[in-house]
């Protein structure tokens, strides 16, 4: 940190010495901002803010609609429409992001605006069991818009840092996204509890998050769009601070020793502002056919594994809430006492997901394979189901503690999911469409879980529903352990890259590792 600050200070002094005395304050501010908001900082802030736009606040929307007088059927339909819409749109959204000539940062900005606006529309729902169609339409719009956010962020990460640095960069994004989700749950829960029963003020968190994300999207590099869709192209490592931890391995020491010269070389790079049309020249690489990537064995195994995992997992949180509600003596209409439990469940799970992401990133950097880490996430689910069944009468705190396992499972699952898709699609040009396809299969499993699980709860009780989830959770473990090969070194096997000078668009072809590449000097 201090070396960064010293370099920024020296750079600013050089600029001031070479600039007339009539330099304006805004020019000095821009110089400082250029050096302080590095790409990894911009990705972290955007990920944090987009995490606050996640569907965790849907729980508070449900509480708010109950307070307005909506019945449970209407609430369930309204809140499920977003997920059902995303289920249909996600694959198409990934395909659009792959093939678009529009700057992906513009796509992300528009998606964030529509997601936030449609989510905050609930504040205009009148009291009583009214405005159903208005709420349904806004949830459909929210589902469509939100389907573009994750593919855009993943594509920009891959295009900016390259396949060799993608793992640590994506882990950084997921880490800050989970922290953002936890922060939004804590803030929204606090506001809802203090101002109960008028809890709609907690939805201002969504608007503030969207505004912050939009402001920092302009600092994200566009990178090489062809790499962003999974092609082999230019490798651009935008800055060295992507890793969550600075370890003691030789690679990290080499990066630290090059940091000063790296920043000096980068000082003449122009700020890449968001433009509607991408300025990068289209490449002549041909994408793999849809049939070849959709029918690829590893893709099918990942889709099937994720489907059964979410089919078993999604309903567990709903059942957990019902079991905790039995220990709640507050009979208030909207359940004020339930708000801390709901917020605590989200906060605990997201906090644990953040920690698991850090651990998973470190283990991956030390050579631990994807398969074992993904299996750890899968195994956490049956253990969680068993503990909930065992502790069903032990009290809310015992039940709440099982969210730790939810964080472990979700943390490993989503981290390694991104790694696996990048491994499977390297060189195919279909990275984002496979991200969308796998996400759609996960969403289908979650939707069926919520629907069938609640029917079982209503007719047979929560214990039977949890027992079913426990049995189904064994299926993805078997599928993945038997059918998925290890993919750890897939991307490292292809070390021939085009090195692009961002300033001159000059291309130099050669053999190099991505970790050794720096922007070309003047």
């Amino acid at each position: 940190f201090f070396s960064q600050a010293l370099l920024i200070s020296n750079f600013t002094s050089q600029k001031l010495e070479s600039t007339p005395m009539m330099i304006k304050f805004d020019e000095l501010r821009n110089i400082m901002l250029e050096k302080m908001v590095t790409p990894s900082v911009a990705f972290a802030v955007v990920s944090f803010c987009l995490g606050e736009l996640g569907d965790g606040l849907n729980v508070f929307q449900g509480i708010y609609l109950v307070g307005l007088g909506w019945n449970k059927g209407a609430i369930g339909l309204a809140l499920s429409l977003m997920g059902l819409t995303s289920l249909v749109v996600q694959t198409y959204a990934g395909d659009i992001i792959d093939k678009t000539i529009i700057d992906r940062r513009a796509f992300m900005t528009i998606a964030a605006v529509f997601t936030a606006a449609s989510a905050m529309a609930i504040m205009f729902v009148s009291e009583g069991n009214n405005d159903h169609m208005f709420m349904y339409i806004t949830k459909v719009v929210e589902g469509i818009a939100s389907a573009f956010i994750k593919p855009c962020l993943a594509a920009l990460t891959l295009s900016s840092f390259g396949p060799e640095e993608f793992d640590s960069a994506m882990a950084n994004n997921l880490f800050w996204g989970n922290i953002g989700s936890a922060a939004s749950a804590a803030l929204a829960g606090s506001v809802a509890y203090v101002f109960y029963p008028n809890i709609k003020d907690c939805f201002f968190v969504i608007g503030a998050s969207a505004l912050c994300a939009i402001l920092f999207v302009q600092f994200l590099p566009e990178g090489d769009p062809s790499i962003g869709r999974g092609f082999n192209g230019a490798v651009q490592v935008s800055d060295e601070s992507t890793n969550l931890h600075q370890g003691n391995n030789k690679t990290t020491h080499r990066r630290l020793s090059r940091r000063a010269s790296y920043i000096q070389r980068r000082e003449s790079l122009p700020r890449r502002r968001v433009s509607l049309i991408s300025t990068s020249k289209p490449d002549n690489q041909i994408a793999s056919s849809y049939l070849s990537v959709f029918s690829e064995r590893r893709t099918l195994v990942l889709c099937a594994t994720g489907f059964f995992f979410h089919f078993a997992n999604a309903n567990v949180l709903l059942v957990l809430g019902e079991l905790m509600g039995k220990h709640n003596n507050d009979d208030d209409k909207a359940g004020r006492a339930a708000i801390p439990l709901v917020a605590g469940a989200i906060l605990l799970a997201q906090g644990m997901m953040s920690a698991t992401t850090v651990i998973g990133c470190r283990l991956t950097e030390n050579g631990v394979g994807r398969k074992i880490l993904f299996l750890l996430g899968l195994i956490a689910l049956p253990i969680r189901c068993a503990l909930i069944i065992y502790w069903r009468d032990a009290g809310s705190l015992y039940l709440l503690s099982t969210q730790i396992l939810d964080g472990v499972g979700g943390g490993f699952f989503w981290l390694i999911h991104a790694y696996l898709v990048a491994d499977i699609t390297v060189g195919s040009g279909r990275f984002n469409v496979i991200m969308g396809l796998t996400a759609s299969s996960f969403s289908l499993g979650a939707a069926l879980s919520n629907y069938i699980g609640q029917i079982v709860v209503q007719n047979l009780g929560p214990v039977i529903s949890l027992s079913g989830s426990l049995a189904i959770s064994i299926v993805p473990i078997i599928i993945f352990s038997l059918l998925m090969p290890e993919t750890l070194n897939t991307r490292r096997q292809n070390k021939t890259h085009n090195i692009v000078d961002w300033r001159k668009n000059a291309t130099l072809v050669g053999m190099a590792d991505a970790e050794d590449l720096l922007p070309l000097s003047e």
Side-chain angles (χ1 to χ4, degrees), residues 100-118:
T100 185
I101 62 171
I102 299 176
D103 193 327
R104 291 174 179 133
R105 295 169 296 177
F107 253 118
M108 180 179 290
T109 300
I110 296 171
V113 170
F114 275 92
T115 300
S118 54

Side-chain angles (χ1 to χ4, degrees), residues 4 20 48 56 63 108 127 161 163 168 171 173 224 226 244 277 283 296 338 352 354 391 414 425 465 485 489 514:
Q4 287 272 22
F48 177 87
I63 295 174
M108 180 179 290
E127 190 169 357
F161 295 95
S168 57
N173 293 347
D224 183 344
S226 63
L244 297 176
I277 304 297
D283 55 74
E296 213 272 354
M352 195 63 201
S354 300
W391 283 338
W414 289 111
T425 60
S465 180
N489 295 316

Side-chain angles (χ1 to χ4, degrees), residues 155-427:
L156 287 169
T157 303
L158 183 59
S159 65
S160 299
F161 295 95
E164 292 292 331
E165 294 292 329
F166 174 77
D167 289 0
S168 57
M170 196 65 189
N172 197 47
N173 293 347
L174 291 172
F175 173 82
W176 287 107
N178 293 330
I179 293 295
S181 296
S184 67
L187 183 58
S190 300
V191 173
Y193 187 81
V194 170
F195 294 100
Y196 182 86
N198 183 22
I199 68 171
K200 71 178 183 179
D201 290 340
C202 72
F203 301 123
F204 282 111
V205 173
I206 300 174
S209 301
L211 179 61
C212 183
I214 291 169
L215 290 176
F216 277 86
V217 162
Q218 66 177 316
F219 293 102
L220 298 179
E222 182 186 6
D224 183 344
S226 63
I227 289 186
R229 62 176 298 182
F231 279 137
N232 293 323
V235 175
Q236 303 166 43
V237 183
S238 295
D239 76 77
E240 303 285 349
S241 57
T242 308
N243 292 329
L244 297 176
H245 297 285
Q246 298 294 343
N248 293 322
N249 55 63
K250 291 189 293 184
T251 300
T252 300
H253 280 302
R254 185 167 55 185
R255 288 174 180 168
L256 289 174
S257 65
R258 296 202 316 257
R259 186 181 298 272
S261 61
Y262 177 72
I263 294 178
Q264 295 286 351
R265 294 184 186 187
R266 224 178 39 181
E267 69 181 29
S268 59
L269 283 174
R271 175 57 61 192
R272 293 167 294 283
R273 300 295 181 185
V274 177
S275 59
L276 184 60
I277 304 297
S278 175
T279 57
S280 298
K281 294 182 180 180
D283 55 74
N284 56 3
Q285 299 183 76
I286 301 175
S288 301
S289 67
Y290 291 109
L291 179 61
S292 65
V293 293
F294 286 179
S295 61
E296 213 272 354
R297 172 186 170 183
R298 294 171 297 176
T299 301
L300 295 176
V301 171
L302 183 57
C303 287
T305 301
F307 170 82
F308 282 106
F309 176 80
H310 286 277
F311 186 45
N313 181 63
N315 181 59
V316 175
L317 182 59
L318 297 177
V319 177
L320 180 66
E322 294 179 13
L323 291 175
M324 289 193 298
K326 291 182 179 180
H327 304 282
N328 179 15
N329 296 321
D330 192 342
D331 295 327
D332 202 336
K333 181 173 65 173
R336 181 184 186 187
I339 293 176
L341 291 176
V342 171
I346 299 173
L347 184 63
L348 187 59
Q350 294 295 331
M352 195 63 201
M353 285 180 69
S354 300
T356 304
T357 300
V358 174
I359 295 171
C361 179
R362 173 58 67 85
L363 291 175
T364 300
E365 291 176 348
N366 290 334
V368 178
R370 280 73 156 105
K371 191 169 184 176
I372 184 64
L373 295 179
F374 201 76
L375 283 171
L376 287 177
L378 298 179
I379 293 171
L381 178 56
I383 298 174
R384 178 188 176 211
C385 292
L387 286 177
I388 294 175
I389 295 173
Y390 182 74
W391 283 338
R392 62 185 181 275
D393 297 319
S396 297
L397 291 180
Y398 282 92
L399 294 172
L400 187 63
S401 66
T402 61
Q403 284 296 94
I404 295 175
L405 289 171
D406 185 34
V408 172
F412 281 127
F413 184 94
W414 289 111
L415 176 67
I416 306 302
H417 164 244
Y419 292 179
L420 288 172
V421 174
D423 293 341
I424 293 169
T425 60
V426 60

Side-chain angles (χ1 to χ4, degrees), residues 442-453:
F442 304 163
S443 298
L444 177 60
L448 291 175
S449 177
N450 289 329
Y451 178 71
I452 297 175

